Amino acid sequence: CLERSLLNDADLREATYDVEAYAKRGWLCGAWLGAVDWRNKDLWGANLMDVNLEGAKLKGATLNCANLENARLANTFLSGACLDNAILCGADMSNAQLLSISLRNANLTGAIIQGANLTQADLRGAEYDVDTCLKLGFLKDAKIGAVNWAGKDLSGANMPGCDLQNSTLTDCNATGANFEGANLKSAVLDGTLLC
């Protein structure tokens, strides 16, 4: 039994264990797991704080309500995974494949997403660094939902194909912004500078 065990920096890359049970009990926190193949695993509510999953295959995995705070997820394949209500604060998701991922109501505060592919990601209700995502084009084709970005500087923002239906974008500076193919149906744009 690993109850109350500390696995910080323990190298479990070649170890054999019950993935779902260990992850859900928090027994893998801080461990170096590496490029595991957890495709389509049910890891709902898993506690994977501080784990190193660099290069892991998590395509289609269910990680709803999971705690991945400060996890190292660089170069992971999370396309099609569901991380609704997950905690990803401070997680390193650089260069991760997040195509069609569901991150509804997830907390990505302080997450590193440089080079990540968030195409068609569902970010409705999620907390993330909006300015960085807009400037670097991380929100291409993303489902953002009805956000209130009133007064926000959107100049040069790169968000082609974004779903911003019912959003409030009043009094924004959107000069040079790329909204090509974006869904702005019922969006409020009063006072927004678009040229």
Side-chain angles (χ1 to χ4, degrees):
C1 179
L2 293 174
E3 200 76 42
R4 291 186 292 279
S5 296
L6 294 176
L7 292 174
N8 289 345
D9 297 319
D11 188 344
L12 299 178
R13 288 179 292 170
E14 302 296 324
T16 304
Y17 48 89
D18 182 338
V19 174
E20 283 99 343
Y22 280 37
K24 289 179 182 181
R25 289 184 177 110
W27 292 348
L28 300 174
C29 290
W32 183 7
L33 306 175
V36 296
D37 187 348
W38 291 353
R39 286 179 282 194
N40 301 309
K41 292 280 186 193
D42 178 7
L43 300 169
W44 190 95
N47 185 354
L48 295 165
M49 283 179 57
D50 300 309
V51 296
N52 184 330
L53 286 165
E54 292 183 25
K57 294 174 183 77
L58 300 165
K59 183 177 181 178
T62 300
L63 288 152
N64 293 341
C65 301
N67 186 347
L68 289 151
E69 187 172 356
N70 297 317
R72 290 175 293 255
L73 302 167
N75 301 304
T76 55
F77 297 89
L78 279 154
S79 296
C82 191
L83 285 93
D84 295 345
N85 300 298
I87 301 169
L88 292 149
C89 300
D92 180 356
M93 300 167 66
S94 54
N95 300 309
Q97 292 301 313
L98 308 173
L99 179 70
S100 299
I101 192 172
S102 183
L103 291 161
R104 292 184 77 162
N105 301 309
N107 189 339
L108 293 124
T109 306
I112 301 165
I113 56 172
Q114 278 69 17
N117 181 356
L118 284 156
T119 302
Q120 296 180 345
D122 188 345
L123 293 163
R124 290 177 283 183
E127 293 179 46
Y128 53 93
D129 183 349
V130 174
D131 296 324
T132 299
C133 289
L134 291 175
K135 299 294 183 204
L136 298 177
F138 294 147
L139 301 178
K140 178 183 177 194
D141 297 319
K143 295 176 187 169
I144 298 170
V147 293
N148 183 351
W149 289 347
K152 187 163 258 326
D153 181 6
L154 302 174
S155 59
N158 190 14
M159 48 187 156
C162 283
D163 184 352
L164 290 161
Q165 186 171 344
N166 297 314
S167 291
T168 301
L169 305 171
T170 55
D171 300 315
C172 293
N173 176 6
T175 55
N178 179 0
F179 288 103
E180 183 179 349
N183 179 3
L184 296 167
K185 183 178 178 182
S186 300
V188 181
L189 300 165
D190 295 336
T192 295
L193 183 61
L194 296 168
C195 300

